[in-house]
Amino acid sequence: MYQDPKRIRTKATVYLDQYEADVITALANYLGVPKAEVMRQMMMKEAREALGIDPAALETSVNAHAG
């Protein structure tokens, strides 16, 4: 059914206080995207930085294996 079953998104719960939730809501409204997308992008950016992963190098590596 799916090309890569590992790409199916699962649900995760994040507890935010009202101030934090308001920041996420404001950013989502400003960008015109869902709150989940804002949070996913922020989380993945932080994870890549913490792990020292360069997204450009990762894309090049993936494209090299695909072609």
Side-chain angles (χ1 to χ4, degrees), residues 2-58:
Y2 294 97
Q3 288 183 358
D4 186 353
K6 292 183 180 181
R7 298 296 300 183
I8 299 171
R9 294 200 168 119
T10 59
K11 186 176 181 179
T13 302
V14 176
Y15 295 98
L16 304 172
D17 66 23
Q18 190 61 53
Y19 300 109
E20 294 164 335
D22 289 346
V23 169
I24 298 298
T25 300
L27 184 56
N29 289 338
Y30 176 76
L31 296 173
V33 298
K35 290 187 284 186
E37 185 174 337
V38 170
M39 294 179 68
R40 184 183 315 108
Q41 292 296 327
M42 293 172 72
M43 179 189 67
M44 294 307 298
K45 180 177 185 263
E46 186 68 25
R48 284 191 300 268
E49 288 176 5
L51 295 171
I53 297 171
D54 178 16
L58 181 61

Side-chain angles (χ1 to χ4, degrees), residues 48 53-67:
R48 284 191 300 268
I53 297 171
D54 178 16
L58 181 61
E59 185 175 319
T60 302
S61 174
V62 170
N63 290 336
H65 291 297

